[in-house]
């Protein structure tokens, strides 16, 4: 079991190290070599803990596996700090701090080696062993504490979710490293005072047997794994998050096309580049930005045609359905207002009635692309949805909403609601959802569906 645990961990860590140093077709990220040194050092440390490897090296030099594993652990701890210095400091300061840490590492390893040799020559003197352990846990504990504080503080400032959780996972790993250092300090005190609380040089039969092995074996193993996963998680999740984002951009771009075609057919001058019909799949972020901006610009351009009467009718319908004061209900109201404004703009209807204000929550909504896209997706979905026939008709009638005499006839008002098919006698008025026969005449500046890239 111990062999499988440590050799398996070493193999996993070496795979992570290979992932970090492999060529990615461009400039390697900052701290690549420090991270590779960290993972390789941890891998060698765990390999030296494996009983099979331990027996092999100790057949040459007795008890040398302990010195090897501790040296590799301190090297990994130094690489951790080197990685952080390269990320958080300018190059000159980072190089200076790394040099100081490397010097401290060299001094610590030299002192540990000297006490190890002296201990072997004197028949495993407890005092010499205590000095050896003191050097080891002092350097390890200081490094783990420093690393814990920096990663936890940096996780609070991080904006990327994967990086934030990765740093917090690393901080938890540093906590297990401090637990291991505390155990070694307790063992040192027990040996130095001759208390005999911890059997000296006793082997573990499993990661938890005897109980002290939970601190001497399991704690460092968990610490290394958590630190490795935490530092590597952002690099592993970045391609996945990019793939997920591109998929969302593509789906959103397609879902907004019907709404975009409707509003730009009424206000074609807002289209930034009508002649560009090519959509680059690698630049979907740019194309989605343009589509969202153009839809919002159309909504602004249609403000004189937004009718309060239509908004009140749609709000009453949303209240009847039980969606009032919800994002879905607000989107349904906004879709109805936009549809009526598009129909009024196309037919050149007189601007009777009060102008409807912007949609509820417009000012409080974040102005970034995800928030704007999510809102417009709700509006586009509501725009394509057929309202309840009877109530929608009644709510849209001028006599019910107090429209002026020259407000459009009930039949034409129905056509202004989202998804409402145009009456047969209203074809000349260019309804909001044109049939194939006159679609070209309705939107002369926009190509057929196969040339959807006009939005971009």
């Amino acid at each position: 079991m111990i062999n499988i645990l440590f050799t398996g961990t070493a193999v996993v860590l070496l795979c992570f190290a290979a992932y970090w140093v492999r060529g990615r077709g461009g400039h390697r990220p900052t701290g690549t070599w420090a991270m590779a040194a960290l993972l390789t050092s941890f891998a060698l440390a765990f390999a030296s803990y494996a009983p099979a490897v331990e027996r092999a090296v100790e057949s040459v030099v007795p008890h040398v596996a302990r010195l090897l594993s501790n040296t590799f652990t301190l090297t990994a701890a130094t690489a951790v700090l080197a990685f952080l210095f390269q990320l958080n400091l300018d190059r000159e300061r980072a190089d200076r701090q790394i040099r100081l840490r490397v010097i401290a590492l060299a001094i610590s390893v030299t002192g540990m080696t000297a006490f190890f040799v002296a201990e072997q020559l004197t028949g495993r003197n407890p005092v010499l062993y205590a000095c050896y352990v003191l050097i080891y846990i002092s350097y390890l504990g200081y490094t783990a504490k420093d690393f814990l504080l920096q990663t936890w503080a940096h996780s609070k400032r991080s904006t990327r979710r994967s990086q934030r959780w990765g740093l917090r996972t690393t901080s938890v790993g540093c906590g297990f490293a401090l637990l291991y250092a505390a155990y070694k300090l307790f063992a040192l005190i027990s040996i130095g005072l001759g208390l005999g609380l911890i059997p000296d040089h006793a082997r573990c039969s499993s990661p938890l047997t005897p109980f002290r092995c939970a601190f001497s074996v399991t704690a460092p193993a968990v610490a290394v794994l958590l630190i490795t996963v935490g530092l590597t998680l952002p690099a592993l999740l970045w391609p996945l998050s990019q793939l997920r984002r591109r998929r969302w951009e593509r789906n959103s771009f397609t879902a907004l096309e019907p709404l975009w075609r409707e509003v730009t057919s009424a206000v074609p001058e807002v289209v930034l580049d009508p002649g560009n019909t090519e959509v680059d799949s690698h630049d979907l972020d740019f194309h989605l930005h343009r589509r969202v901006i153009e839809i919002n610009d159309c909504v602004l351009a249609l403000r004189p045609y937004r009718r309060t009467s239509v908004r009140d009718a749609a709000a009453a319908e949303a209240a009847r359905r039980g969606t009032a004061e919800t994002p879905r209900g607000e989107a349904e109201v906004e879709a109805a207002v936009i549809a009526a404004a598009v129909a009024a703009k196309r037919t050149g209807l007189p601007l009777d009635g009060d102008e409807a204000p912007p949609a509820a929550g417009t000012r409080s909504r974040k102005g970034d692309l995800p928030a704007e896209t999510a809102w417009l997706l709700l509006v586009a979905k509501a725009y394509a949805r057929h309202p309840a026939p009877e109530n929608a008709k009644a709510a849209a009638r001028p006599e019910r909403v107090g429209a002026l005499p020259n407000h459009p006839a009930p039949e034409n008002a129905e056509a202004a609601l989202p998804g409402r098919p145009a009456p047969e006698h209203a074809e000349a008025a260019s309804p909001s959802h044109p049939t194939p026969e006159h679609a070209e005449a309705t939107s002369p500046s926009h190509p057929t569906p196969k040339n959807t890239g006009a939005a971009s």
Side-chain angles (χ1 to χ4, degrees):
M1 179 65 182
I2 297 294
N3 268 317
I4 295 175
L5 173 65
F6 286 119
T7 55
T9 303
V11 170
V12 171
L13 293 173
L14 288 175
C15 291
F16 278 126
Y19 174 82
W20 271 89
V21 300
R22 71 180 179 87
R24 296 185 175 91
H27 182 68
R28 286 186 172 88
T30 301
T32 294
W33 297 111
M35 177 60 68
L38 161 68
L39 298 174
T40 303
S41 300
F42 273 149
L44 294 176
F46 270 84
S48 65
Y49 274 121
V53 177
E54 184 178 357
R55 286 192 297 268
V57 296
E58 289 187 354
S59 64
V60 180
V61 179
H63 310 293
V64 74
R66 182 188 69 198
L67 176 62
L68 292 176
S69 62
N70 292 342
T71 299
F72 290 135
T73 300
L74 295 186
T75 303
T78 303
V80 164
L81 287 180
F83 178 77
L84 279 182
F85 291 150
Q86 290 179 339
L87 287 181
N88 300 332
L89 303 177
D90 59 80
R91 184 169 183 176
E92 183 178 351
R93 290 182 59 195
D95 291 343
R96 183 170 62 252
Q97 291 295 331
I98 292 173
R99 282 196 300 270
L100 293 176
R101 295 289 180 169
V102 170
I103 293 173
L105 173 66
I107 294 174
S108 299
V109 172
T110 301
M112 288 166 54
T113 303
F115 282 114
F116 173 79
V117 173
E119 181 190 2
Q120 298 302 313
L121 294 177
T122 58
R124 301 181 61 77
N125 187 299
V127 176
L128 297 176
Y129 176 71
C131 293
Y132 170 94
V133 174
L134 181 60
I135 295 175
Y136 172 66
I137 62 173
S138 297
Y139 189 91
L140 179 64
Y142 174 74
T143 304
K145 182 267 300 179
D146 196 15
F147 190 37
L148 171 63
L149 295 178
Q150 291 192 48
T151 52
W152 187 259
H154 191 66
S155 68
K156 296 180 179 179
R157 301 190 301 268
S158 178
T159 56
R160 285 174 51 192
R161 181 181 301 178
S162 61
Q163 188 179 65
R164 184 167 59 250
W165 284 104
L167 290 172
R168 290 177 180 176
T169 301
T170 302
S171 300
V172 175
C174 292
F176 277 94
L178 289 175
L179 181 64
Y180 170 68
Y183 163 78
K184 297 297 287 185
L185 179 61
F186 179 75
L188 174 64
I189 295 175
S190 174
I191 294 172
L193 298 179
L195 301 178
L197 299 176
I198 298 178
D200 189 20
H201 306 301
R203 295 182 180 273
C204 295
S205 58
S206 77
L208 300 175
T209 307
F211 178 71
R212 65 177 183 80
C213 294
F215 301 98
S216 62
V217 174
T218 304
V222 172
V224 170
L225 288 177
L226 290 178
I227 291 174
T228 301
V229 171
L231 293 177
T232 311
L233 185 65
L236 292 176
L237 293 183
W238 175 252
L240 298 178
S241 64
Q242 289 298 98
L243 180 63
R244 181 181 178 185
R245 180 178 178 83
R246 283 195 295 270
R247 181 181 179 184
W248 172 78
E249 290 171 349
R250 184 181 300 107
N251 293 340
S252 300
F253 183 82
T254 303
L256 289 177
E257 182 180 358
L259 177 62
W260 174 83
R261 285 191 174 278
E262 284 291 300
V263 295
T264 56
S265 66
V267 194
E269 60 270 17
V270 305
V271 179
L272 300 178
D273 189 6
N276 183 9
T277 59
E278 296 295 329
V279 178
D280 186 0
S281 60
H282 299 289
D283 201 13
L284 285 170
D285 177 74
F286 170 73
H287 296 300
L288 180 60
H289 262 95
R290 284 187 58 175
R291 179 151 287 184
V292 169
I293 290 172
E294 288 171 356
I295 293 175
N296 283 333
D297 286 348
C298 286
V299 172
L300 289 175
L302 291 170
R303 284 183 62 182
Y305 300 91
R306 295 169 62 92
R307 306 289 179 81
T308 302
S309 57
V310 175
R311 186 201 63 176
D312 293 341
E317 177 64 18
R320 188 190 68 80
R321 294 179 180 178
T323 59
E325 298 183 356
T326 66
R328 177 183 171 184
E330 293 171 357
E332 290 173 349
V333 173
E334 180 66 7
V337 173
I338 292 175
V342 168
K345 177 68 164 59
R346 284 172 173 169
T347 57
L349 292 176
L351 307 180
D352 296 327
D354 296 333
E355 179 182 317
T362 299
R363 294 183 178 179
S364 61
R365 188 170 62 248
K366 291 182 179 180
D368 55 11
L369 179 63
E372 289 297 319
T373 303
W375 164 248
L376 291 180
L377 286 173
L378 289 176
V379 175
K381 186 176 181 180
Y383 200 100
R385 189 186 302 120
H386 291 273
E390 297 303 324
N391 292 288
K393 291 177 183 178
R397 289 195 174 129
E399 61 267 25
R400 293 290 302 275
V401 296
L404 296 177
N406 56 358
H407 202 75
E411 294 82 4
N412 289 332
E414 293 170 15
L417 292 175
R420 177 66 65 185
E424 295 181 0
H425 60 277
E427 292 182 2
S430 299
S432 61
H433 293 274
T435 58
E437 292 81 1
H438 57 271
E440 186 176 352
T442 303
S443 304
S445 64
H446 292 274
T448 56
K450 64 180 181 180
N451 292 327
T452 58
S456 59

